[in-house]
């Protein structure tokens, strides 16, 4: 009599991935500002990250608030740029 035993092994992934966006300072006459979205570790599937903008040290009309998105291909950690249009106005603002 043959006796076959089988078992199942499960490996729980202990890796994490973190998305970050860098900080930039540009003169409003520059016309645009490019920010880089980074991924700390590769992910095994493509991932799209939504990028939204808020007024922190700016006024509502200072830049284009249209949301963006960046996509990281599977296993890719290359920084992904988002470019924001800046309004060059003659208003003196406190920063």
């Amino acid at each position: 009599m043959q006796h076959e035993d089988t078992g199942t092994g499960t490996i729980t992934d202990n890796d994490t991935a973190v998305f970050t966006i860098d900080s930039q300072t540009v003169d409003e006459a520059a016309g645009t500002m490019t920010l880089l979205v980074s991924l700390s570790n590769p992910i095994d599937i493509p991932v799209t990250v939504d990028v939204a903008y808020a007024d922190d040290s700016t006024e509502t009309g200072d830049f284009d608030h249209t949301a963006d998105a960046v996509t990281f291909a599977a296993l890719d950690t290359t920084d992904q740029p988002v470019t924001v249009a800046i309004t060059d106005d003659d208003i003196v603002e406190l920063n």
Side-chain angles (χ1 to χ4, degrees), residues 28 57-62 87 89-95:
E28 70 180 17
S57 63
T58 60
E59 299 294 325
T60 302
D62 285 341
T87 304
D89 57 26
D90 293 328
I91 301 170
V92 177
E93 300 156 318
L94 300 175
N95 291 335

Side-chain angles (χ1 to χ4, degrees), residues 1-83:
M1 175 166 119
Q2 288 185 340
H3 190 284
E4 292 186 32
D5 288 329
T6 60
T8 301
T10 302
I11 300 172
T12 303
D13 192 358
N14 65 350
D15 302 316
T16 60
V18 177
F19 297 98
T20 57
I21 191 165
D22 69 343
S23 297
Q24 296 288 327
T25 301
V26 297
D27 187 282
E28 70 180 17
T32 61
M33 177 173 52
T34 299
L35 303 166
L36 295 176
V37 180
S38 302
L39 174 59
S40 63
N41 289 310
I43 299 176
D44 63 349
I45 61 172
V47 177
T48 298
V49 178
D50 294 326
V51 179
Y53 305 102
D55 296 312
D56 186 24
S57 63
T58 60
E59 299 294 325
T60 302
D62 285 341
F63 64 94
D64 181 2
H65 288 71
T66 303
D68 283 308
V70 297
T71 299
F72 290 88
L75 306 177
D76 186 15
T77 59
T78 304
D79 291 349
Q80 300 297 315
V82 290
T83 300

